[in-house]
Amino acid sequence: GSHWMLFEKGHEYYVDRLIQQGTNGEDELHPLYIGSYGEGELPVLSGDLRSFQEGSWNIVIRDVQFDNKFQVLSGGNYILDGIHSSGEEIAFQNLSAMTLRDSTILDATTEVPTQGGDTWNANLDRASGFFANGPQGLLVEGNFFDHNGWEADYDYYMSTDYGLAPSQFNHNVYINHKGLDVTFRDNIVMRGASFGAQIRPGGFIEDNVFVDNNIGVNFLGGIVGGEHVGNFTLLTDNVVSNGGFHVVSDFEGATTWGVGGRGMDSTLLDNIIAHLVEPGVVPEFHEEYNDAKKTVAINEASDETVFYNDTVVYNWALPNGRGNEPDANVDGLDPAALDQITIQNFTRDLLGDPNATVDDLAEHLRTEMSLDSSDPLTADDIIAYFQQGFGIYDGPERTSTETLRFVPDSLGDGIRWDNRINWDTEDIPMDGDSVDLASNWVYYGGTTVIEDLDFGSGGELQVNHGHLTIDGQITSGDEGGDLGIDKAGQVWMNGYDDTDTLSVDLSGGRLANTGDFNGTADISVTDGQAILATSGADMTLGEGSRLTITGSEADVGFDGDDGDTATLQLDGGRIDFVADEDGFAGIGEFRSGAFGDAPDVLSGIDLGDGILGIDITALNGSALQDKLFGADEILGSFETIELIGLAENQDATITFDYETDEVIFNVTAAGDGSGQANVAFNGDMMDASNSGDLWNALTDGQGTYSETDPPQIEEPDEFTALVA
């Protein structure tokens, strides 16, 4: 079916089932896209939107509004971007790879008691803004969560005559303990019924603001009872302010925690927990509110829960001396000045209203999100305000480009590109920087255009998501460098000319060479897209270089949009094709999606002084005719061909067709041959090119072709093949 579905802005649509059972996008780079067009407010999709039974994969949903429950029970690689959800929970369970970013999740509640009765059932009537059960790879970034899990008119005794009462089961965000690889970053999380964010597996929790929640953020994870459960946590550069005091008669849970830091060996770095209540303000409590409530800035299970902690704690205390938590890491700071660094004063300055409150801040953010402001208030704005006031501000973002060196920091993961403490500048690379991986193993994240990249000796870079462009030189040391690309990861490189081996493993995503690639390389392609040369680029496989294409799933070859030349040349290098049961993924022009509807390049391949390896073991004696190479111009015919997997009762022929500019491999079914392997030629290789520019690109510096010796098919010890 279609790869996209668009709704017009300013309209409401009733959708019974947005994603049909088993609906999948093509792959991570080419998902099913559900979005909107036109002007006006986001289109409203009403009806319960559910994806049950057979899971769906590779789905992007962007710029739409949900007013009812959205629930997905299985699948993977879901991206929700720029959505608005109001009144109902978003629930994702058992997903592999999921992203929620730049979205607004508001007012999730339960309108009718599930079992009737006079009081809300705290467990059965639970509601949260965003619920994720067992995510394996979760990014929650740049969102606004507000007032989820309760209604303002609730009754302390939880009467159903009033709105849903808060409870210890209702949160802005709940991520259960079965999750792995959780990143929670750049979010503003306000006025949750209980937790702002309950992140039970732990994870990378960075640059968030938690305001007016009963508990700001909680995390577990690490080593429990000798077993690895969830993630070790790095909690860094977060701000927690104001207790929610959403109190009820039963199942209330904590009401005055800043951080629940009970994961093992957690690092708490440069966080601020300040002002449980605004200085000088005495909040109104219900008459039965327990005076003995435990007020905790950081709740730790034991001494082993914290590996490092420099969190600033200030004025985390209830009025009248109840449950005061000691200040921490504020030595030398003026209490009178710190008393002015409040979320209320930030809001008053922002809105120009001396009487503004936290509720006014929430309304301002809601308005900005609904109007799609070009310069919205961000978590970073609030964090900078608090960090400046509390003396831990590092200053504005760096503006001059530098060479950044990767230095794994023991306080955190030690492998993430997008973790600023792993860089010697203590910020992540920006556009125009150069990068020295310094022989480390690094996992990329982001969208970055850098100048030079140095792997160091034995350095590794894994790109499973994001888009990395390298405009300058790539270098590596004596032990080479390893580049892995998978899923939706993309790496665009402007050639490679180092004599040290660059090993590339492409199992998904996209590799694109945009320059002169003539260095020593070992490239393995099993899936995804390998653009060996874009318009104006060339890949030359010299002696010691190898390209291995395994299976039939990958796209390999050329793409571009300006009609320039794109060439592949062998100068002593080797190309191997390893069949799967469906055959080979050949090399030729293909539509990657990065350059219009169809390739617009002059593609050329010079097979000249190279080695061809063909492995048909996986065919198990089946017949096959498949194209190995196709281009606008093909020259040469290899120096050597190695054929593996040919049975004694099969015949194989490799045909070099210079009229159609193709190389075709043909093997008979088992029983229809006698173990013969031959090469054949059709047409004249010297019949002139479709383009002088292409001919020049293929023959420059190589003299003039006048005669071509047929390639030799070697006879491996365990297989039968014949010399042509």
Side-chain angles (χ1 to χ4, degrees):
S2 173
H3 291 287
W4 51 266
M5 180 187 304
L6 296 178
F7 298 92
E8 186 175 3
K9 291 181 178 178
H11 294 272
E12 182 172 347
Y13 301 84
Y14 179 81
V15 181
D16 181 49
R17 194 160 189 169
L18 183 64
I19 303 169
Q20 296 297 318
Q21 176 179 327
T23 299
N24 299 315
E26 180 179 333
D27 55 33
E28 291 91 343
L29 282 182
H30 306 94
L32 171 66
Y33 180 87
I34 301 170
S36 61
Y37 68 96
E39 301 293 333
E41 297 181 353
L42 295 180
V44 177
L45 307 185
S46 61
D48 285 348
L49 307 174
R50 304 174 187 267
S51 179
F52 293 164
Q53 299 166 323
E54 185 179 351
S56 295
W57 295 78
N58 305 321
I59 309 292
V60 173
I61 305 174
R62 185 175 186 183
D63 294 336
V64 296
Q65 177 173 330
F66 303 129
D67 278 355
N68 294 83
K69 183 183 290 290
F70 183 28
Q71 190 172 32
V72 178
L73 295 187
S74 63
N77 196 31
Y78 270 75
I79 298 177
L80 274 60
D81 185 3
I83 70 163
H84 179 89
S85 176
S86 178
E88 292 279 359
E89 181 178 80
I90 293 180
F92 283 78
Q93 301 193 43
N94 308 313
L95 261 67
S96 175
M98 192 262 167
T99 294
L100 175 69
R101 66 186 304 272
D102 294 344
S103 296
T104 304
I105 314 296
L106 310 173
D107 303 326
T109 187
T110 299
E111 296 184 356
V112 179
T114 55
Q115 294 186 325
D118 298 331
T119 59
W120 292 102
N121 186 302
N123 184 20
L124 298 179
D125 296 328
R126 66 175 65 189
S128 293
F130 175 70
F131 172 67
N133 175 32
Q136 305 299 295
L138 174 64
L139 172 64
V140 181
E141 180 179 57
N143 304 288
F144 176 46
F145 301 94
D146 183 41
H147 209 283
N148 291 295
W150 64 295
E151 296 190 38
D153 68 342
Y154 78 91
D155 174 58
Y156 176 82
Y157 299 102
M158 306 177 72
S159 169
T160 55
D161 290 336
Y162 300 87
L164 178 66
S167 80
Q168 68 188 53
F169 303 112
N170 298 358
H171 316 292
N172 266 321
V173 177
Y174 187 97
I175 304 167
N176 89 335
H177 69 282
K178 297 179 182 178
L180 286 173
D181 187 18
V182 175
T183 299
F184 194 84
R185 178 168 56 205
D186 293 337
N187 303 287
I188 300 176
V189 187
M190 297 183 63
R191 302 189 300 180
S194 182
F195 289 97
Q198 168 72 291
I199 307 176
R200 295 185 68 87
F204 183 28
I205 307 170
E206 176 189 44
D207 290 348
N208 303 285
V209 174
F210 303 94
V211 176
D212 210 39
N213 306 283
N214 278 7
I215 306 98
V217 58
N218 184 64
F219 53 86
L220 301 174
I223 302 295
V224 180
E227 180 183 357
H228 180 243
V229 179
N231 304 99
F232 295 98
T233 290
L234 172 60
L235 183 83
T236 179
D237 291 281
N238 299 276
V239 168
V240 181
S241 188
N242 280 57
F245 302 107
H246 309 136
V247 298
V248 289
S249 59
D250 199 8
F251 294 102
E252 176 184 84
T255 59
T256 53
W257 286 9
V259 171
R262 295 180 293 172
M264 300 302 294
D265 285 334
S266 303
T267 291
L268 284 70
L269 176 67
D270 290 340
N271 303 288
I272 297 173
I273 303 173
H275 303 307
L276 179 63
V277 296
E278 185 180 10
V281 176
V282 179
E284 295 183 4
F285 299 115
H286 190 274
E287 59 186 9
E288 296 191 25
Y289 182 65
N290 187 352
D291 284 353
K293 284 286 182 183
K294 183 181 180 182
T295 301
V296 179
I298 304 173
N299 183 63
E300 304 169 19
S302 67
D303 292 340
E304 289 78 26
T305 59
V306 172
F307 177 73
Y308 177 85
N309 180 17
D310 66 0
T311 300
V312 171
V313 177
Y314 182 74
N315 187 35
W316 201 255
L318 288 169
N320 304 322
R322 295 188 298 174
N324 290 351
E325 179 78 352
D327 294 342
N329 298 310
V330 292
D331 292 346
L333 300 177
D334 180 7
L338 298 184
D339 284 347
Q340 300 303 309
I341 307 302
T342 68
I343 193 64
Q344 290 83 1
N345 282 338
F346 174 87
T347 304
R348 291 159 189 159
D349 292 342
L350 174 72
L351 303 181
D353 179 357
N355 300 311
T357 65
V358 166
D359 291 342
D360 294 321
L361 176 61
E363 291 304 314
H364 172 78
L365 286 165
R366 288 174 177 235
T367 300
E368 277 200 332
M369 299 302 179
S370 66
L371 295 177
D372 193 22
S373 172
S374 60
D375 186 25
L377 178 68
T378 68
D380 286 341
D381 297 327
I382 300 174
I383 292 167
Y385 169 83
F386 274 87
Q387 289 188 341
Q388 288 178 33
F390 280 84
I392 61 172
Y393 184 58
D394 292 330
E397 293 184 1
R398 176 172 53 89
T399 58
S400 59
T401 59
E402 299 181 22
T403 296
L404 277 64
R405 182 180 177 87
F406 194 88
V407 183
D409 196 308
S410 61
L411 295 181
D413 52 85
I415 60 173
R416 290 181 63 146
W417 177 296
D418 63 344
N419 182 356
R420 53 180 167 256
I421 71 172
N422 287 326
W423 297 96
D424 60 351
T425 57
E426 296 189 354
D427 65 345
I428 62 175
M430 67 179 188
D431 289 352
D433 283 335
S434 292
V435 167
D436 179 6
L437 297 185
S439 302
N440 291 292
W441 296 2
V442 181
Y443 278 74
Y444 178 78
T447 301
T448 323
V449 180
I450 64 172
E451 189 61 24
D452 299 329
L453 174 64
D454 184 357
F455 280 86
S457 184
E460 297 186 13
L461 180 63
Q462 185 67 37
V463 184
N464 291 343
H465 64 277
H467 191 293
L468 175 63
T469 301
I470 307 158
D471 278 344
Q473 289 188 324
I474 300 175
T475 54
S476 55
D478 293 341
E479 296 182 15
D482 292 332
L483 173 63
I485 308 172
D486 196 5
K487 299 186 172 74
Q490 295 193 56
V491 176
W492 292 65
M493 59 175 61
N494 185 22
Y496 180 68
D497 62 5
D498 198 334
T499 57
D500 295 307
T501 301
L502 174 64
S503 297
V504 180
D505 183 359
L506 179 70
S507 50
R510 178 184 291 146
L511 169 70
N513 168 44
T514 63
D516 188 6
F517 192 114
N518 57 21
T520 306
D522 185 357
I523 304 172
S524 174
V525 180
T526 56
D527 206 342
Q529 298 180 346
I531 308 177
L532 305 178
T534 62
S535 298
D538 168 75
M539 177 174 286
T540 298
L541 299 178
E543 187 172 351
S545 289
R546 184 171 188 163
L547 169 63
T548 303
I549 304 169
T550 302
S552 58
E553 295 297 320
D555 293 311
V556 185
F558 316 100
D559 196 9
D561 60 2
D562 64 2
D564 205 348
T565 60
T567 56
L568 169 66
Q569 305 188 58
L570 274 81
D571 185 15
R574 178 182 180 118
I575 296 179
D576 286 282
F577 292 94
V578 181
D580 60 18
E581 60 183 10
D582 295 320
F584 303 103
I587 296 176
E589 295 181 16
F590 69 95
R591 178 183 180 272
S592 68
F595 300 99
D597 294 333
D600 182 16
V601 293
L602 288 171
S603 58
I605 302 174
D606 181 2
L607 304 174
D609 184 20
I611 302 170
L612 173 63
I614 302 173
D615 185 343
I616 59 172
T617 304
L619 294 179
N620 292 319
S622 298
L624 174 71
Q625 180 172 309
D626 215 343
K627 180 163 58 176
L628 300 181
F629 299 91
D632 292 323
E633 189 70 41
I634 291 182
L635 303 179
S637 57
F638 294 101
E639 181 175 281
T640 302
I641 299 174
E642 297 176 3
L643 177 59
I644 298 175
L646 184 68
E648 292 182 357
N649 56 0
Q650 284 182 290
D651 289 341
T653 303
I654 303 169
T655 302
F656 296 82
D657 193 326
Y658 299 116
E659 288 188 357
T660 61
D661 290 294
E662 296 176 332
V663 178
I664 305 297
F665 176 79
N666 190 5
V667 64
T668 65
D672 293 337
S674 57
Q676 301 294 310
N678 299 286
V679 293
F681 299 90
N682 182 50
D684 181 4
M685 184 182 69
M686 308 299 295
D687 63 354
S689 168
N690 295 316
S691 162
D693 290 339
L694 179 57
W695 183 261
N696 291 335
L698 287 171
T699 61
D700 184 33
Q702 299 183 28
T704 302
Y705 284 96
S706 59
E707 183 177 348
T708 302
D709 294 327
Q712 304 298 306
I713 301 181
E714 292 191 349
E715 183 178 348
D717 293 339
E718 66 272 30
F719 298 102
T720 301
L722 295 180
V723 176

